[in-house]
Amino acid sequence: MHVLLFEDDLDLGQAIVNALRQEGLSVLWHRTAEGAQGLETTGIDAVLLDLGLPRVDGMDLLRGWRRAGWLVPVMVISARAELPQRLAGLDEGADDYLPKPFAMAELISRLRALHRRQARQASERWRIGTLEIAPRDNRVWVDGEPVELSGREFQLLEALARSPDAVVSKSALGRRLQPLGDPLEGSVIEVHMSNLRRKIGAHRIRTLRGVGYQLIA
């Protein structure tokens, strides 16, 4: 699970980062709203948003994201704890609102609940020719037979399947597979792509040299 954190308080931000990472979640922390500029949302599972950011109110960020059609779950974490303030946050598009101070265990539990809710809304299966993908369960079938993929192999296949017949560049795949921090290196993608081809059939993935990869029926 990949989480974006917007929190200006140094001690609280570091405590949240440590708690999430101990639970096996990856997290990228921004202390100002500048981190939202040019934000690539693909591959992000949830956002933790403090409303009291320097120079830009977090509520304005939330409004802008929703007006732009950004559907990633957002949990507000804020000292603005009065009922009208919480209702305003939810009305503006927050999926959850956790007043400060809070217990880390509750924060993590709510994050996991958001992730489960998002997964339930996803399609049960995608069908591309005789290839079937269950994104919620990380399962794949070829010609009706189950195929075992590694985590990276499934991420690659899912990224291609989200845009069937479209060409996805290697750099875009690198960002999708590792949305927080540096993108996955091209040489690593090539290794996983080779293994994926071997498992689902090399003819299903077309390589356009210098352009990217395309999943075909």
Side-chain angles (χ1 to χ4, degrees):
M1 185 175 178
H2 304 299
V3 180
L4 279 176
L5 169 64
F6 289 90
E7 170 58 63
D8 68 316
D9 184 276
L10 183 60
D11 292 335
L12 178 57
Q14 191 61 64
I16 293 173
V17 168
N18 292 341
L20 296 186
R21 288 178 176 167
Q22 286 175 5
E23 292 294 320
L25 282 63
S26 64
V27 55
L28 180 62
W29 175 23
H30 295 290
R31 296 186 64 195
T32 68
E34 280 74 13
Q37 295 177 1
L39 189 62
E40 172 59 54
T41 63
T42 303
I44 302 300
D45 297 301
V47 174
L48 296 175
L49 176 63
D50 176 28
L51 298 182
L53 296 172
R55 295 184 293 279
V56 176
D57 191 278
M59 194 72 83
D60 291 332
L61 277 182
L62 179 60
R63 291 190 191 101
W65 291 338
R66 293 316 188 208
R67 287 171 184 167
W70 194 30
L71 301 178
V72 175
V74 176
M75 183 193 302
V76 169
I77 51 173
S78 177
R80 303 175 193 175
E82 297 298 322
L83 179 60
Q85 295 169 319
R86 286 183 280 138
L87 293 178
L90 294 169
D91 287 342
E92 290 294 345
D95 297 273
D96 198 358
Y97 197 114
L98 183 60
K100 297 178 181 177
F102 50 79
M104 289 297 170
E106 182 178 6
L107 174 70
I108 292 168
S109 180
R110 287 179 179 235
L111 267 178
R112 295 197 187 282
L114 278 182
H115 191 48
R116 289 194 301 271
R117 190 184 313 159
Q118 189 79 350
R120 283 195 295 269
Q121 294 172 354
S123 299
E124 288 298 318
R125 288 197 185 185
W126 302 339
R127 291 177 174 82
I128 303 169
T130 58
L131 177 69
E132 295 183 51
I133 304 169
R136 177 181 173 185
D137 302 317
N138 287 24
R139 299 177 65 191
V140 177
W141 297 262
V142 174
D143 298 324
E145 296 296 324
V147 177
E148 294 294 328
L149 300 182
S150 70
R152 286 298 194 195
E153 291 161 6
F154 185 85
Q155 287 178 322
L156 270 178
L157 180 59
E158 183 183 19
L160 293 174
R162 288 185 179 276
S163 305
D165 295 326
V167 178
V168 184
S169 69
K170 190 180 294 184
S171 60
L173 287 173
R175 290 193 299 272
R176 291 185 185 184
L177 267 65
Q178 195 159 294
L180 305 182
D182 294 331
L184 205 64
E185 293 182 0
S187 59
V188 177
I189 291 176
E190 289 173 4
V191 171
H192 292 305
M193 188 68 76
S194 176
N195 293 333
L196 176 61
R197 276 197 170 104
R198 175 173 51 82
K199 292 180 179 181
I200 70 169
H203 63 285
R204 298 180 190 277
I205 300 176
R206 178 182 297 158
T207 300
L208 286 81
R209 296 198 178 277
V211 181
Y213 300 96
Q214 180 184 34
L215 184 64
I216 57 179

